[in-house]
Amino acid sequence: MPEALKGPAAFGAAALLVIWGGLPWLPDAWGVRFGTPYLVFFSLAVAGSAGFFMLLNWGPVRQPRSALAAFASILLVYVATVGGVVAFGYWYYPQFETPRVAALKPGGERVGEQRGRAVFLTPQFSCFACHTIEALGIRGGQRGPDLSSVGRLAEARKPGVSAEDYLREAIVDPWACFTPLPSSGLIECQAVVDPAKTYPQMMPPGAKDRLTAQELGDLIAFLKSLRSAGERDGKRS
């Protein structure tokens, strides 16, 4: 390998080693998780950077012949980089878009849950920005736990406390109890913070000031109905 290319190649190899060998193993207590799409995106960015510097070191770069050519070159690089980042964001982060809330079905016992789903997907309340519900195909943020089974888990989070009351407290007073990490093996919420066993507390305060009583009740009804994949309130849908 030519001497001029060894530097970019070493940089690329070291960066890829950190990306694939280090990022997936960050402690859960840090509240940061990098899935495969992240790692692929970072790897492509590193490969592009290394390739760019290899190109510069390969030989003399021909300068643009005119101001228009220089502007076109800059614009091309800008569109390729920024456009790629934006495209990745729209693909991997649905919360970048305004969620499309399905129209409520008239009548039926599930109307409150439907309204609660609409509350969950409303950007104003930020639920969707940090939580995903894989069981329903709702892929939001990954800062908080997946809520696919929150209705069932809420029944056991605090002994003697109903699922509805626990969910209400978790929304209105999120600092009262910390949600255990799945890897901890714990079921009950933890009043004493243990970074190795609980999610970092990042729930925004003031939900009771942003939500009306109706919206809060509907959101709780929706969350309470989440049991697991294909299961709602103990019944298979």
Side-chain angles (χ1 to χ4, degrees):
M1 178 182 294
E3 191 68 29
L5 304 184
K6 289 184 178 179
F11 158 76
L16 290 175
L17 181 62
V18 171
I19 291 171
W20 291 95
L23 295 184
W25 302 101
L26 292 177
D28 289 335
W30 289 12
V32 179
R33 288 172 289 174
F34 293 99
T36 301
Y38 273 115
L39 304 182
V40 171
F41 178 73
F42 293 156
S43 299
L44 291 176
V46 167
S49 301
F52 177 74
F53 285 109
M54 283 184 177
L55 181 63
L56 290 180
N57 292 337
W58 189 269
V61 179
R62 187 175 63 182
Q63 299 296 321
R65 296 182 178 179
S66 65
L68 181 61
F71 175 77
S73 300
I74 295 172
L75 182 62
L76 178 62
V77 172
Y78 178 82
V79 170
T81 54
V82 177
V85 171
V86 172
F88 176 81
Y90 271 99
W91 167 68
Y92 191 60
Y93 286 105
Q95 66 266 32
F96 280 11
E97 302 175 348
T98 300
R100 297 177 177 84
V101 180
L104 300 182
K105 299 178 182 178
E109 60 181 0
R110 302 297 188 190
V111 172
E113 296 172 13
Q114 293 176 42
R115 290 197 302 261
R117 181 198 288 249
V119 171
F120 182 87
L121 294 175
T122 300
Q124 173 188 352
F125 303 125
S126 304
C127 308
F128 189 65
C130 295
H131 293 283
T132 188
I133 306 177
E134 289 289 351
L136 299 183
I138 299 175
R139 190 173 67 176
Q142 298 187 31
R143 301 286 287 177
D146 180 6
L147 300 180
S148 295
S149 302
V150 68
R152 174 172 54 81
L153 294 173
E155 297 171 352
R157 287 296 190 216
K158 275 192 169 183
V161 177
S162 67
E164 181 176 347
D165 288 341
Y166 168 76
L167 291 170
R168 184 180 302 276
E169 179 187 71
I171 296 170
V172 174
D173 186 14
W175 294 85
C177 212
F178 288 73
T179 304
L181 289 163
S183 58
S184 69
L186 299 173
I187 299 298
E188 298 178 11
C189 66
Q190 306 297 301
V192 179
V193 181
D194 185 344
K197 295 182 179 180
T198 60
Y199 282 94
Q201 188 52 278
M202 294 177 289
M203 277 279 288
K208 62 181 178 181
D209 298 323
R210 297 193 304 272
L211 293 165
T212 66
Q214 178 72 62
E215 290 168 338
L216 179 59
D218 291 338
L219 179 59
I220 291 172
F222 170 62
L223 296 175
K224 186 181 174 183
S225 73
L226 301 176
R227 315 293 294 184
S228 63
E231 185 182 354
R232 296 176 67 82
D233 284 345
K235 301 177 182 179
R236 290 286 174 180
S237 56

